[in-house]
Structures are given as structure tokens and as C-alpha cells.
Amino acid sequence: MTACTILTVLVLATTLVASGSASGAAKQRARKATDAHWVSQKGLAKIQRQAAHRAAHKGARFRSYSQRILGAQPVLSYRGAADPTVARYAGGWVAISTGPGAPRAIAPQPGGPWQNIPSALTVQPTWAISGRYWASDLVEVNGTWHLYFSAEVAGLGIDGRCIGVATAADPTGAFIPDERPLVCPKQANTPAAYDRIKRRPKGMPRAGVIDPDYFRDKGGHQYLLYRTQSTPSSIRMVELPDSGLPRGKARSTELVRRGGVIENPTMLRRGRQYVLLTSEGDFGECSYKTTFRRSSKLGDWSRARRQVLVDSRKSGLCGPGGADLGRGANGEPMLWFHAWTCPELGGNCPGGHNYDRDRLYDARRSLFAGVLRFTSRQSPRIKSYVAPILPPPPPPTPTATPSTTPSTTVSPKPGQQKAEKQKPAGRAHSAR
């Protein structure tokens, strides 16, 4: 190799290294720019301080999620709205979420403005040991509103739950729970349930059940989907009677199983395809996501391929899950779900934490809404997100009107009254 050739190789190598460094620096600047675009300057400084602290003490990575293409914003964020169920009724939309008594809010439009109303379940069923209700599903069945919910019971260990149903004539009124569980394992200390999960496969934990979701097929058949607690976890389905209430008894079947967490099932039918949406992962982390599967047979999902509908990479949101399907004002398919927001940072929550456990940045699961579209194969996609409609500002405080107080009458001095009478009318007007 000649000296000229060696020199040429060295020059090329130097150029490639320099271009690679420049490219890396450009990517880093772009990443910092997107982070700065998402959170406030105060929030960004706090993230940077924590990143330095974590790197110095544990060497752990700390990355923040940036705002992505669609620019999702929460429609309800002044309080938590975890595992939402949203239904349209005569007065607008009503949302119910996880929490004591099943917290509830109403709005005239999907974007809001949302306002709290009294909780849905102020009366606790006798078979439940607390009034904390998880991941309810609100639906109208034959002119009566049904609220399917999960509640803590005795006999299933810590946090073991069973599924019940409550009814009301109006979705904004008080719901009365049925005194028989709808789905509950036989080892629970409750009355015998409509579905006692007798055909649970070997190797599956004998735990409770959560996340009920109502599905009505085109033929009029009604079903309830739910998740079995602990891991491996599964999605099961049981057919309901015409009333949608626990009358008689039935046996459920398993649709999908996963070694980790799979939960929050919700389903719709598009032509000949059934589309099943679920949440997967740890709900306290930003990696929590919403997935979907398609099947031409309601009871057979063995060939269904799991795909991601919305996650942090696609949306920039932290832990988008707990999804519920609904309809918009013109019948368009809608997706309601929650994601973690951090008011102390001015927006989205950064990755690297479990917000259910760590309780940082005043984190809460806020309500988001999106309009869905479907491909030719009936795969769902988020077409657009619903923009929040903020409540109108409070009216300005009216200026206090000076009160007219009677003044003390002073008698004019002799000659003064006569002089005032002689003043021209024009001058008297201009002096006021």
C-alpha cells in the first residue's frame, strides 16, 4: 500500500468519525428540543436534576416522553379518571372511573367541559367488604342502565375481587347493586355467583376477577368479558341472560391467556371480524399499552395476532390503557382511555417510574378520547384525538355600586340661595 493510499484511508476514516459525532450531537439536540416542547421550563429543570441524581447514584437511565404527531391532550385532568367507561345519554356523556363509590362526571361533548356529579354506587352490595370499585362498564340494556363493576370480597386474599352489577333508570342517578355476584370463584365468601369459573385450566391461579365489559353481538346474544386476577392472567367470556342480570347460572370460556398481565377487555364487531382490545403490562408504568386482536370466530382466538394500538412510542403518552369503546355524536367509533399526566411538570409524565407506587409529580391517570378508523382488514387505528373543551372562565367580580347615603342638609347662608338662582343654566350643566 503506497503512502498516498494510506493517507486517503486516514482522511476518509476521520471524515466518517466526524460526521457520526455531528449526527449524534444533532439527534441529542433534537431530543432535548422535543422534551423542552412537552414540559415547562421548570418541569424540564426538575427532570434534569433527577436524571443527574439517578445517574450519580444508581446509573439508571432516565428518559422523558415527548409530544408526538397527533398531540393528544386530556379531556378530563383536574382529577384522576382511571379505567374509564364512557356512555352517551340524553344529556350528553357520562364517565365513570375506578375509585370509592365509582366516581362520575358528565359533559355536553366528549371534549368537555367535564364536571363531577355524585358517585354512582353509594349503596354497597352486602357481599362486598369495601366500597372501592374497579374498572366498571356502563351500558344500557333493554331500556335500563347497567353498571358492571368489580369489588373486594372475603376469602380471596388481599385485593381479591368479584364482579357484580347494579341498575338505574338514569345513568346520572343512583345505582342499586344486585345482591348476587355475577362472576365469582366458589372459594369466595359470597352467595353463589352466576358464573363460578368452574372450567379454569390447570396452572391458572385460583384468584379473583376484575375488569367486566359488556358486549352485544349482532344476533342479539349478550356476553360479559372479564379478566382473571394474578398471573398468568386470562380474558374470559360468559353469555348473559336477556336481562343482563345474574339469573340462573352459566359457564364461561377462556379467550386469551398471557404469562404477564392482560386486562381491561373491550370488544366490537366489524363486518365478519371481532376486534378484541386489551391492556398489557404494569398500569403504573409508562410501558403500559393498549393492544388488539382480530378473529372471525367469537369463541376461537388461537390464531389471532396481537398488535399494538396505542403505546408510549406511538402517542408520546405515559401508560395509555384501560380502554373503553364507544360512539361519538355522529355514530363514529371512539376510544376512551387513561394515561398518566404530571401537573407538577406541566404535562406528560416521564418514563422511569412506577407512578402507582412512587407518587411523584402529583401524577394521576387522566381521561383521553380518540376517534377510530379501520383498515380494510378491520384493524383499528387512532384517526385523531379529541381536543379538550375547557370550562368557561368565571364571570368577573362586579364592581360594587356606591350606595347613596342621605347627606346632612345645610341651610344656605343669607343671600347664597339668591345668588345660585342667578347662575346661567349652561354653566350649571358644565360644572357637573
Side-chain angles (χ1 to χ4, degrees):
M1 184 180 291
T2 63
C4 182
T5 304
I6 295 173
L7 181 61
T8 303
V9 172
L10 289 174
V11 170
L12 288 173
T14 304
T15 303
L16 290 173
V17 171
S19 62
S21 301
S23 176
K27 290 180 179 179
Q28 187 175 8
R29 287 194 299 270
R31 185 165 54 251
K32 287 182 178 180
T34 55
D35 288 344
H37 177 67
W38 177 251
V39 300
S40 64
Q41 291 299 318
K42 182 179 178 182
L44 185 61
K46 192 169 185 177
I47 290 176
Q48 292 170 344
R49 288 195 302 271
Q50 285 218 352
H53 177 78
R54 289 167 63 90
H57 289 80
K58 297 181 180 179
R61 293 181 62 191
F62 188 96
R63 66 187 179 94
S64 60
Y65 293 102
S66 59
Q67 188 177 21
R68 301 287 176 150
I69 299 172
L70 295 177
Q73 299 180 61
V75 296
L76 194 167
S77 59
Y78 61 83
R79 66 162 174 84
D83 308 315
T85 176
V86 182
R88 189 182 181 190
Y89 75 112
W93 276 261
V94 56
I96 298 178
S97 54
T98 289
R104 192 167 46 175
I106 57 173
Q109 298 292 335
W114 290 89
Q115 60 177 347
N116 289 342
I117 62 173
S119 297
L121 275 169
T122 56
V123 178
Q124 181 177 310
T126 56
W127 48 265
I129 60 175
S130 80
R132 298 184 301 164
Y133 304 106
W134 279 15
S136 303
D137 189 42
L138 178 64
V139 64
E140 188 177 13
V141 180
N142 300 324
T144 301
W145 287 91
H146 288 47
L147 183 67
Y148 297 96
F149 61 90
S150 55
E152 291 177 298
V153 299
L156 296 180
I158 298 176
D159 206 34
R161 293 175 181 263
C162 288
I163 292 172
V165 60
T167 57
D170 188 300
T172 62
F175 280 80
I176 306 301
D178 198 288
E179 286 304 325
R180 183 188 180 192
L182 191 60
V183 184
C184 196
K186 61 182 180 180
Q187 65 267 30
N189 295 334
T190 66
Y194 172 76
D195 172 18
R196 303 182 72 181
I197 328 177
K198 290 184 177 181
R199 292 181 178 175
R200 201 179 308 204
K202 292 183 179 180
M204 292 298 292
R206 298 301 190 259
V209 288
I210 57 174
D211 301 345
D213 187 81
Y214 174 92
F215 171 67
R216 184 182 181 91
D217 206 351
K218 284 188 175 180
H221 293 279
Q222 302 175 116
Y223 302 91
L224 188 79
L225 294 91
Y226 60 89
R227 177 219 164 171
T228 57
Q229 287 185 277
S230 192
T231 55
S233 53
S234 65
I235 303 301
R236 296 181 67 88
M237 180 181 69
V238 62
E239 187 169 359
L240 296 172
D242 293 340
S243 64
L245 302 174
R247 305 293 181 259
K249 58 182 179 180
R251 288 188 176 183
S252 56
T253 57
E254 182 179 287
L255 301 184
V256 180
R257 188 192 307 183
R258 185 174 172 83
V261 172
I262 182 170
E263 57 189 8
N264 292 114
T266 184
M267 185 184 291
L268 56 72
R269 181 172 177 174
R270 295 280 302 183
R272 297 181 179 181
Q273 291 286 321
Y274 295 94
V275 184
L276 172 65
L277 274 62
T278 55
S279 300
E280 297 185 22
D282 188 326
F283 75 88
E285 299 179 356
C286 290
S287 57
Y288 195 59
K289 54 186 169 288
T290 298
T291 59
F292 73 91
R293 293 167 173 82
R294 293 179 298 109
S295 175
S296 59
K297 296 181 180 180
L298 180 60
D300 184 5
W301 296 80
S302 59
R303 297 184 180 181
R305 184 168 65 93
R306 167 190 172 274
Q307 300 178 65
V308 174
L309 175 60
V310 57
D311 60 2
S312 61
R313 182 183 63 83
K314 290 186 175 184
S315 67
L317 301 174
C318 177
D324 184 47
L325 292 164
R327 293 285 176 179
N330 298 316
E332 64 274 21
M334 293 191 64
L335 183 74
W336 304 87
F337 63 94
H338 72 240
W340 290 99
T341 59
C342 289
E344 289 186 9
L345 300 181
N348 199 8
C349 290
H353 292 290
N354 185 308
Y355 290 99
D356 179 58
R357 182 179 65 242
D358 297 341
R359 305 293 184 182
L360 295 172
Y361 311 131
D362 192 24
R364 70 204 48 186
R365 286 177 283 176
S366 297
L367 177 65
F368 290 78
V371 178
L372 292 178
R373 65 178 179 86
F374 289 84
T375 67
S376 59
R377 295 187 176 183
Q378 305 306 333
S379 295
R381 301 286 188 269
I382 294 183
K383 179 181 178 181
S384 62
Y385 287 108
V386 175
I389 301 174
L390 301 179
T397 304
T399 304
T401 303
S403 58
T404 304
T405 55
S407 57
T408 304
T409 302
V410 179
S411 301
K413 295 179 180 179
Q416 183 178 0
Q417 185 175 5
K418 183 177 180 180
E420 288 180 351
K421 289 182 179 181
Q422 294 176 353
K423 289 181 181 180
R427 290 185 60 188
H429 177 77
S430 62
R432 291 178 184 173

